[in-house]
Amino acid sequence: MNKKEILDKFSADPQRYYKVNLFEDQGFERKSCKTCNRFFWTLDSERSNCPDHSDDTYSFIGEPPTSKRFDYTQSWKEVESFFVKNNHTSINRYPVVCRWRDDLYFTIASIVDFQRVMGSKVTFEFPANPLVVPQTCLRFKDLENVGVTGRHFSSFCMIGQHSIPNENGYWKDDCINLDFNLLTQQFGIDKKEITFVEDVWEGGGSFGSSLEYFVRGLELGNAVFTEFQGDLSNYKTLDQRIIDMGAGLERFAWITMGTPTAYDCCFGPITEKLIQDAGLDVNSSILVPYFTEIAKNLELYDDLSQVRKNAIKSTGLSDEQINRIITPLEGIYLIIDHIRTLIFAISDGALPSNVGGGYNLRIMLRRIISTMNRLKLKFDLNEIIDIQIDYLKNTYPELENTREDVKEIISIEASRYDSSKQRMQKIVSKLDKEPNVTDLIRLYESDGVTPEYLKEMKVISEIPSTFYAKLSDLHQSKKQKEQLNLPLEGISDTELLFYGDDPREFNAKVLKSFENFVVLDKTAFYARGGGQEPDHGKIGDCEIVDITKHGNIVVHEIKGNIPKEGNTVSCKVDSKRREGITKNHTSTHIINTSARNVLGSWIWQHSAFKEEDHARLDITHHSALTDEDVVKIEQAANGIIEKSIPVKIENFDRGTAEQKYGFRIYQGGVVPVKSVRIVSIGDLDIEACGGTHVANTSDVEQIKITRTKRIQDGVVRIEFVSGDGAKEFVKKKQHDSESKEKEDKLREQEKEKRLEQRQLAKERIPVIAKSLLECKQGTVTIDNITMELAESGKANFCYSISDDYDDVFHIGLGEKLCKEDPKLVYCGLFEQGGKVRVIVYAGEEISKEKSAGEIVKKISQVLGGAGGGSPKFAQGGGTDKSKKEDAIKNAKSMIIQ
Ligand SMILES: [Zn+2]
Ligand SMILES: [Zn+2]
C-alpha cells in the first residue's frame, strides 16, 4: 500500500474523504492542478494551479498578504490565544530529548509527545483534549539547507493541534473551520489566499486523509486525520481516531512579516546584532529577489548548489555581492539556528558526543566554529546564547534555568574541537585525493574530521548533499533486543509478591516446569530487571540460579530435581542478598540526584547495575570526574542518608505521572506499561522504577564511592558500595592505610639505618684499607670485604658484594688500596635502583696486564648488562642479581689463576 494508491482512492470520493462543512459554507471550489493534476480547494475562481505551481508562489517575500505583523514570539501568542479561546488546553512543550520512546533520540513532531510504544503497538497519552502545544522539534536530515534556503531549520516550533473525537474533542469539520479562522481572523489573511490541498498520511499500520493548507505557495500546516487501519481493499475505522494538525510557527511569522528569509523574523534581536557585528551591508533590494528565487527553485531542483546557482544567475548578482553579502549572511543564519538547537537539546539533558543522538549536537557545534573560522567572523558564543535565551524565554521560560549549563557545555565542547585541530590537520595532510561521501563519513566516524573543517581547509569545495542524511541514518539504527523463546503460551501472569507484602518465605503452586525452569503462580523472588540482579534462594530443595521476566510471567532457573507441575512448593528468599541489593538500588537513585546537584542539569542515568555487595551507576557527563567531584557527590549522597528521608512508592497512570513529575522520571529508560511505579525520595529524586527499595534513606546507612571512570564519550561510571559493604570498605581502607603506614615507617627506618652505616663506612675507609693491606698471604675478610693474595705474589684481588656499601665507599676504598698496592685489583658490587652496579680499580703495575675495563666488561656480561672504562678505572653493571657470586668468580679467574 503506497501513498499514491491511497490518494487516488480517497480523491476519487472527495465527498466522503475531503469535503468538510467549511468548503460547503464558504463555497470552496475543488480543482485539479493544470500542471500536476493534484486536487485542491480554493475560493479564488482564477486559480488553476496547485500552490507548488502557481505564479504567486513565494510572492509574500517583500510583500506580506496580511495587515498584521507578528514575529516568532508574537505568532505563538496569537495561535495560543486563538485556540484557548476555542476551548483548547495550551500545554507546555515536551522535552526535545525523546526519553519516552526507545526508537527515537529526539522529538521530531508534536504528535510524538503523546505516542507511547508498547510492544509493537502505538498508544496515545493525551493530557487534555483538545489541546495545542508549541513543540520544539529537532530534525537533522537537511542540515546543509540550514541558513541557505531561507526556511530550513535544524529545530523549529511545530504548532500541534490535537483532538480525539469524543464528547470533548472534534473531527474534520471543526478542525478545518478552526484552522481557516486562525488564518483569517487571527492573522488577517484574506480567505481567497488560502488553498487546501488533498493529501493522505500513512504509517504504523494506520492511515487517513489530510488537508494541507497553503498561502502564496508556503505550506503553513497539515491537518492529518488518522482514521483507518488495514489495507486498501479491506480497512476499518480505528477505535481511537486522532487529529494530528502540525503547523510551522516559523512560517506563520514569516508570512506576516514578508522578510527575505524566515530566519530574519524568528530568532529575535540576535540576527540584527550579528549582521551589524560582522559589518554586513544587507540591502533588501538584493535579498528579496535573491531569496524569492531560492524558494522557487527549491521546488524544482534537488541539488542545493544548483538551486543557488540558478538564483544567482536569475537575479544577476555578481561574485563580489555573493561573497560580501550572501555567503556571510548564510553563515550567520546557520550559527544562530544551530545555537538555538543546542540550547534546547542541552537544556533537556543531551550532550555532544560521538554516540547516539549526541553526534548530531557535536557536528552542529563544529559547523558553528568552522563557519566562523571560514568567514573570519569573531562572535562571542556566550553572548549569542544569552541574547537567544532572553528572546526564547518569552515562549519557553524554562530555558532560564539551564542558561549557565548550556554555556558551560558549549564552551567545553568548543575548546575540545580547538585542541583536536592539530590532529585533524595531520590526517588531512595525508589525503591524496578529494574524498567522496564514503570517505567523508569514514573521516568523521573514525577520526572526527568534519566536512566543515575540510571545506574550511579548502580540501573540498562543497559538502555533498547526501552527507548528513547518510550519517544520520547510520546513527538512527535501533537497538534490537534479543528475545528468548520459552514455551509459556497459556500460562497466566505471575502474582508479584515483592510489590505487596514481600514475604521472605511463601508457598506457591508450580504452573509449569521444563528443563531447569519453573513458573509459579506467585513469587517473592525479584526477577532480573532495570539493572537490578535477581534474588537467590530456594524453591523446595533447589537453589535458584537466575530469574527472568517474560512479559508478565516470571521464570525461575534452578539447580537440582525440578518440581512437578501442580505441586505446591515452599520457597525461601535469600534475605541477606536481597537486603544488600535493595540498599544498593536506593543508593543509585541517591547518587544520581547527588551527581546532578553537584555537576549540572545534564546528568542523567545512562545505565545502572545493582548486585549484593557492589553496584555501579553510569551517568551522562562530558568529562572524567575529578577527585573533588567524587568527594562532593559522596558528601551529598551521605547528606541525603543522614536526613532520614522516607522513600515513597506510588502507582500512577502513566500520563498523570508524566504531567505531575515531568520526564525526569524516565531515568531508567522507557516504561512500557500503562501504570507506572513512582519511587520518590522526598522531592529530591522522583523516578519511574520497578526495583526494590528501602523504606527510609537512613536504612542505607552509608555510601562509599570506590572508583570512577570515563567509560565512553559522554558517559562516566561511578562504582560504589552501601550499607555493610560501605562499612567493610571503610574498615578495609582504614586497615590498608594503617598497615601501609606501618610498612612505610619500617622501610624508612631501614633506609635511615643503611645511610648511617654507609656514612660510618666512608669514615672508616683508611682503617679498613690499613687492615686489608696488612694481609701478607692467603685470604682475609674484614667487614664483608675479602682480600686474596696470589701464591705467585704477582697479583692481589680485593672484592665486596655486600649491600652495606655504596658507590662513594667503593670508589674511596678502591682508589686508596690501588695507590698503596700497585699489584692490586679491587671489585665492588652493589645494588642500586633495582640493578647491580660494579666498580673496578686496578693498580699501576697490574693494570698493564689486567685492564680494569676488560674486567668490568666480563663482570657486566655475567650480570646480563654492559660496562667499560680505562685500564685503571671502569664501571658497569647488569640486572641479574642472582649472578653476583658468579661474576666475582669470573673476575677472580682473570686475576689470580
Ligand atoms: Zn501542481
Ligand atoms: Zn531504580
Side-chain angles (χ1 to χ4, degrees):
M1 190 170 66
N2 65 30
K3 272 187 71 174
K4 174 85 173 59
E5 285 168 5
I6 308 172
L7 182 58
D8 285 347
K9 176 151 188 147
F10 285 2
S11 281
D13 190 357
Q15 280 294 337
R16 178 171 173 200
Y17 294 102
Y18 293 108
K19 190 157 188 188
V20 288
N21 286 347
L22 177 89
F23 295 168
E24 180 80 46
D25 298 346
Q26 292 281 338
F28 271 82
E29 238 185 297
R30 183 174 187 256
K31 295 183 176 183
S32 174
C33 174
K34 286 267 178 302
T35 312
C36 68
N37 297 325
R38 277 212 296 172
F39 290 100
F40 62 92
W41 299 75
T42 178
L43 288 170
D44 184 352
S45 56
E46 307 283 294
R47 195 176 284 280
S48 55
N49 277 298
C50 78
D52 283 349
H53 301 106
S54 291
D55 295 336
D56 65 352
T57 296
Y58 289 89
S59 62
F60 67 90
I61 296 179
E63 200 197 338
T66 60
S67 50
K68 303 172 183 174
R69 304 277 175 267
F70 303 120
D71 74 348
Y72 176 86
T73 303
Q74 294 158 331
S75 287
W76 170 247
K77 299 272 180 256
E78 294 300 315
V79 171
E80 184 182 36
S81 76
F82 173 81
F83 280 109
V84 168
K85 198 162 62 192
N86 285 284
N87 302 317
H88 290 64
T89 305
S90 172
I91 60 164
N92 293 334
R93 74 170 176 100
Y94 281 39
V96 299
V97 182
C98 193
R99 313 242 177 217
W100 56 96
R101 294 265 301 257
D102 59 9
D103 56 340
L104 287 175
Y105 289 120
F106 297 109
T107 307
I108 53 168
S110 61
I111 192 69
V112 169
D113 294 355
F114 318 111
Q115 290 171 333
R116 301 293 175 271
V117 181
M118 294 167 78
S120 59
K121 207 171 161 253
V122 176
T123 61
F124 289 89
E125 201 72 73
F126 280 91
N129 180 38
L131 64 81
V132 64
V133 60
Q135 183 56 46
T136 309
C137 299
L138 270 48
R139 291 185 186 177
F140 301 106
K141 287 247 180 217
D142 307 313
L143 275 192
E144 77 279 3
N145 285 343
V146 175
V148 179
T149 64
R151 66 166 194 256
H152 284 92
F153 295 85
S154 58
S155 64
F156 63 99
C157 172
M158 185 183 278
I159 302 164
Q161 172 198 359
H162 301 282
S163 164
I164 301 166
N166 58 19
E167 60 277 11
N168 302 315
Y170 51 80
W171 192 236
K172 288 182 193 179
D173 287 327
D174 288 332
C175 176
I176 297 301
N177 235 333
L178 284 163
D179 294 340
F180 179 78
N181 289 338
L182 172 70
L183 298 178
T184 52
Q185 294 168 9
Q186 204 78 18
F187 281 81
I189 294 169
D190 181 352
K191 59 188 180 183
K192 272 176 85 175
E193 296 269 12
I194 304 166
T195 309
F196 290 93
V197 176
E198 294 181 3
D199 204 353
V200 294
W201 178 88
E202 177 278 310
S206 48
F207 60 98
S209 59
S210 78
L211 283 165
E212 298 171 326
Y213 51 92
F214 290 76
V215 173
R216 301 233 189 142
L218 184 67
E219 184 190 343
L220 290 174
N222 185 12
V224 171
F225 307 103
T226 309
E227 193 173 5
F228 306 112
Q229 62 183 9
D231 58 55
L232 266 191
S233 56
N234 178 23
Y235 55 88
K236 64 180 182 78
T237 304
L238 286 162
D239 298 337
Q240 197 182 26
R241 290 179 300 165
I242 275 167
I243 290 181
D244 171 18
M245 198 299 291
L249 181 67
E250 282 82 355
R251 294 180 175 201
F252 271 69
W254 193 20
I255 200 101
T256 75
M257 300 291 272
T259 47
T261 72
Y263 314 127
D264 299 301
C265 57
C266 289
F267 295 136
I270 188 66
T271 316
E272 189 56 39
K273 167 154 172 56
L274 295 192
I275 287 173
Q276 276 184 14
D277 287 359
L280 295 192
D281 170 25
V282 291
N283 182 332
S284 64
S285 68
I286 289 175
L287 299 186
V288 167
Y290 175 78
F291 282 107
T292 307
E293 279 306 310
I294 286 275
K296 282 183 174 176
N297 274 283
L298 257 182
E299 306 296 339
L300 308 175
Y301 302 97
D302 283 337
D303 184 358
L304 187 62
S305 61
Q306 190 58 44
V307 169
R308 209 169 173 269
K309 270 181 210 148
N310 285 358
I312 293 168
K313 202 171 142 198
S314 51
T315 45
L317 289 182
S318 67
D319 283 354
E320 191 273 335
Q321 284 170 311
I322 292 296
N323 293 336
R324 183 169 52 82
I325 305 169
I326 303 295
T327 304
L329 200 54
E330 288 169 340
I332 286 173
Y333 294 147
L334 177 149
I335 291 165
I336 303 174
D337 166 272
H338 284 15
I339 290 187
R340 185 170 79 164
T341 300
L342 287 169
I343 288 172
F344 279 107
I346 295 168
S347 291
D348 290 353
L351 287 177
S353 75
N354 265 343
V355 286
Y359 109 92
N360 291 296
L361 309 182
R362 170 160 292 170
I363 210 156
M364 275 204 294
L365 191 78
R366 296 189 167 195
R367 274 166 63 87
I368 292 169
I369 298 171
S370 283
T371 303
M372 288 206 292
N373 292 343
R374 178 168 52 88
L375 300 173
K376 303 195 168 48
L377 298 169
K378 290 214 178 337
F379 296 143
D380 176 352
L381 293 182
N382 280 346
E383 190 185 26
I384 301 180
I385 295 165
D386 273 331
I387 298 173
Q388 294 228 70
I389 291 182
D390 286 344
Y391 182 69
L392 284 168
K393 73 179 187 184
N394 296 317
T395 315
Y396 305 109
E398 68 279 7
L399 296 176
E400 183 60 52
N401 304 330
T402 42
R403 186 191 286 262
E404 297 311 315
D405 288 348
V406 170
K407 288 189 205 165
E408 186 178 337
I409 297 296
I410 287 186
S411 110
I412 289 171
E413 186 63 18
S415 63
R416 260 190 204 149
Y417 180 58
D418 274 343
S419 60
S420 70
K421 274 201 164 166
Q422 242 179 343
R423 198 175 45 81
M424 292 204 294
Q425 227 157 15
K426 225 184 242 168
I427 294 161
V428 170
S429 67
K430 285 185 193 143
L431 293 176
D432 49 4
K433 62 178 172 66
E434 179 160 339
N436 59 29
V437 180
T438 316
D439 297 332
L440 289 176
I441 286 181
R442 184 184 45 74
L443 276 166
Y444 179 70
E445 289 285 296
S446 56
D447 300 314
V449 180
T450 56
E452 281 72 22
Y453 179 74
L454 295 173
K455 194 174 163 187
E456 185 189 328
M457 301 303 289
K458 301 200 166 65
V459 174
I460 54 173
S461 52
E462 287 301 331
I463 298 165
S465 56
T466 51
F467 176 81
Y468 291 107
K470 280 195 174 168
L471 200 58
S472 196
D473 284 343
L474 218 62
H475 285 264
Q476 280 297 340
S477 57
K478 293 181 207 167
K479 274 188 244 160
Q480 290 291 341
K481 281 184 196 150
E482 87 178 89
Q483 273 292 348
L484 214 68
N485 242 333
L486 296 174
L488 300 172
E489 307 82 49
I491 299 178
S492 51
D493 293 354
T494 312
E495 189 191 337
L496 305 176
L497 301 174
F498 50 82
Y499 286 153
D501 293 345
D502 198 13
R504 293 294 176 264
E505 289 179 42
F506 62 98
N507 290 327
K509 203 171 133 199
V510 178
L511 295 185
K512 177 118 190 156
S513 62
F514 54 97
E515 294 165 45
N516 304 322
F517 301 103
V518 179
V519 179
L520 306 172
D521 62 339
K522 54 176 177 280
T523 190
F525 294 113
Y526 185 84
R528 177 189 300 285
Q532 179 170 338
E533 288 294 282
D535 277 338
H536 286 171
K538 278 190 156 177
I539 294 180
D541 297 326
C542 302
E543 288 288 342
I544 292 181
V545 178
D546 196 5
I547 308 165
T548 47
K549 214 171 157 200
H550 304 262
N552 292 320
I553 300 166
V554 174
V555 178
H556 309 78
E557 187 184 344
I558 58 172
K559 239 180 355 198
N561 289 333
I562 193 148
K564 284 201 183 76
E565 286 174 15
N567 281 5
T568 296
V569 283
S570 65
C571 306
K572 195 167 177 212
V573 180
D574 176 342
S575 27
K576 187 171 163 289
R577 174 178 167 80
R578 163 69 84 77
E579 199 186 307
I581 293 178
T582 298
K583 285 180 182 175
N584 279 337
H585 195 146
T586 304
S587 301
T588 52
H589 290 219
I590 294 175
I591 292 180
N592 191 21
T593 196
S594 303
R596 186 162 55 245
N597 288 334
V598 169
L599 302 170
S601 63
W602 55 83
I603 300 293
W604 282 74
Q605 173 177 315
H606 178 265
S607 54
F609 176 82
K610 304 103 181 179
E611 241 300 355
E612 179 184 353
D613 53 356
H614 68 283
R616 61 175 183 258
L617 171 69
D618 297 344
I619 52 168
T620 53
H621 187 50
H622 49 72
S623 310
L625 297 184
T626 63
D627 291 347
E628 197 192 339
D629 292 336
V630 174
V631 169
K632 279 190 186 160
I633 294 168
E634 198 177 275
Q635 272 170 358
N638 285 305
I640 293 174
I641 293 171
E642 275 159 34
K643 281 200 196 103
S644 301
I645 302 167
V647 179
K648 210 164 69 185
I649 293 170
E650 290 167 290
N651 284 295
F652 285 98
D653 179 64
R654 182 176 51 201
T656 313
E658 289 172 359
Q659 287 305 307
K660 198 169 154 79
Y661 300 117
F663 290 88
R664 279 258 178 232
I665 60 172
Y666 294 131
Q667 292 288 331
V670 189
V671 180
V673 285
K674 257 321 237 176
S675 165
V676 293
R677 188 167 176 263
I678 295 290
V679 177
S680 43
I681 301 174
D683 52 6
L684 293 176
D685 186 77
I686 297 158
E687 295 183 28
C689 173
T692 61
H693 287 277
V694 298
N696 189 295
T697 58
S698 61
D699 297 340
V700 172
E701 297 168 277
Q702 192 177 10
I703 288 174
K704 287 304 282 183
I705 294 174
T706 53
R707 201 163 82 115
T708 69
K709 191 176 168 220
R710 189 164 187 230
I711 54 165
Q712 70 179 54
D713 199 6
V715 180
V716 171
R717 170 162 296 171
I718 299 176
E719 295 177 9
F720 63 92
V721 285
S722 70
D724 289 343
K727 279 189 246 164
E728 271 161 39
F729 179 79
V730 172
K731 229 192 264 168
K732 190 173 176 299
K733 234 185 147 181
Q734 201 170 354
H735 179 261
D736 284 357
S737 85
E738 274 168 13
S739 55
K740 193 178 171 286
E741 214 172 286
K742 256 188 216 156
E743 263 172 46
D744 285 352
K745 214 170 170 186
L746 217 69
R747 208 174 293 130
E748 193 59 33
Q749 279 171 350
E750 274 170 21
K751 204 175 148 193
E752 266 172 39
K753 208 169 140 194
R754 180 157 298 153
L755 279 174
E756 216 172 288
Q757 272 173 350
R758 285 175 180 174
Q759 187 56 37
L760 276 170
K762 260 175 264 170
E763 286 164 12
R764 291 187 58 227
I765 287 176
V767 182
I768 295 171
K770 190 161 175 274
S771 310
L772 288 168
L773 290 169
E774 273 165 10
C775 175
K776 296 300 173 203
Q777 61 172 27
T779 305
V780 64
T781 300
I782 298 162
D783 288 357
N784 286 325
I785 304 158
T786 305
M787 174 73 96
E788 262 191 84
L789 306 183
E791 281 175 24
S792 62
K794 285 181 182 163
N796 300 323
F797 180 46
C798 185
Y799 68 91
S800 174
I801 57 171
S802 165
D803 273 335
D804 293 344
Y805 306 118
D806 61 0
D807 49 349
V808 179
F809 176 83
H810 289 301
I811 287 170
L813 182 64
E815 198 178 8
K816 179 143 186 75
L817 289 175
C818 290
K819 207 167 154 192
E820 304 282 331
D821 179 357
K823 288 188 285 185
L824 185 116
V825 171
Y826 178 81
C827 281
L829 263 71
F830 59 103
E831 287 184 24
Q832 192 181 57
K835 286 182 181 170
V836 185
R837 281 190 60 197
V838 55
I839 285 170
V840 174
Y841 270 95
E844 180 74 33
E845 206 180 307
I846 198 162
S847 68
K848 287 168 190 155
E849 288 166 46
K850 323 270 183 188
S851 157
E854 290 300 315
I855 296 165
V856 158
K857 220 187 231 170
K858 182 76 196 167
I859 291 178
S860 300
Q861 238 170 39
V862 176
L863 295 169
S870 70
K872 286 189 186 164
F873 174 72
Q875 49 184 337
T879 49
D880 195 347
K881 293 178 188 169
S882 69
K883 293 277 166 60
K884 283 196 275 192
E885 306 266 6
D886 281 356
I888 287 298
K889 258 185 218 157
N890 262 282
K892 188 173 143 187
S893 70
M894 289 172 79
I895 300 153
I896 29 181
Q897 278 81 23

